[in-house]
Amino acid sequence: MKVLIVEDDKFMAEALAKKFKENEFIIGHLENGEKVVAEAITQKPDVVILDILLPGKDGFEVLKELKEEDKTKNIPVLIVSNLGSKDDFEKGSRLGAVGFMVKTTVVPEDVVKKAREIIAGVTNWNR
């Protein structure tokens, strides 16, 4: 299984990558939103873990671009962000994310578990 982690916080990115590797995922990582669509086309991840607060393009813009591109529109995107307002949650859902997790309320293992559920097709949209 492949995951593309789009996260600019070095500590969070490393924690997620470590946990995904322990769970036998192949890892891709980007620190900003500029090349996500191109990388997703190249890497063909099973799931994208997407932060919202990114340098350059924000995660909502990246999500919109992923869903508009034929080659990436079916890749599930899980938002993992410090943002967590009802508006952010609704915007993520409207733009096509399959889930939204707030960083302060989860640990990397929770993200891996949710990613596995998404890939297996056994998850519902939730926080």
Side-chain angles (χ1 to χ4, degrees):
M1 289 180 285
K2 292 182 184 177
V3 61
L4 177 58
I5 301 167
V6 185
E7 172 62 66
D8 65 319
D9 179 275
K10 186 176 181 180
F11 177 78
M12 184 66 172
E14 288 176 357
L16 286 170
K18 180 180 181 209
K19 194 52 72 174
F20 274 104
K21 283 179 187 172
E22 287 173 4
N23 283 270
E24 301 178 3
F25 277 78
I26 297 168
I27 312 298
H29 174 241
L30 293 171
E31 295 178 358
N32 63 57
E34 298 302 319
K35 297 178 181 172
V36 176
V37 173
E39 283 297 309
I41 290 170
T42 301
Q43 293 185 24
K44 298 177 179 63
D46 295 296
V47 65
V48 172
I49 306 301
L50 180 63
D51 189 13
I52 297 302
L53 300 174
L54 295 166
K57 292 180 187 174
D58 74 26
F60 289 128
E61 190 175 342
V62 171
L63 177 58
K64 184 174 183 284
E65 289 176 1
L66 284 167
K67 295 305 172 183
E68 288 174 347
E69 167 59 50
D70 284 341
K71 293 179 180 175
T72 60
K73 68 183 179 187
N74 294 321
I75 298 171
V77 177
L78 173 61
I79 295 172
V80 180
S81 178
N82 283 322
L83 299 180
S85 73
K86 185 177 182 216
D87 288 344
D88 295 325
F89 178 77
E90 289 173 353
K91 186 173 184 178
S93 177
R94 190 173 58 250
L95 290 172
V98 295
F100 197 119
M101 301 177 90
V102 179
K103 288 180 187 177
T104 57
T105 65
V106 297
V107 295
E109 185 62 41
D110 296 335
V111 179
V112 172
K113 182 180 178 196
K114 177 59 77 180
R116 283 189 176 280
E117 291 172 0
I118 289 166
I119 292 167
V122 294
T123 190
N124 294 317
W125 170 263
N126 62 34
R127 282 176 121 131

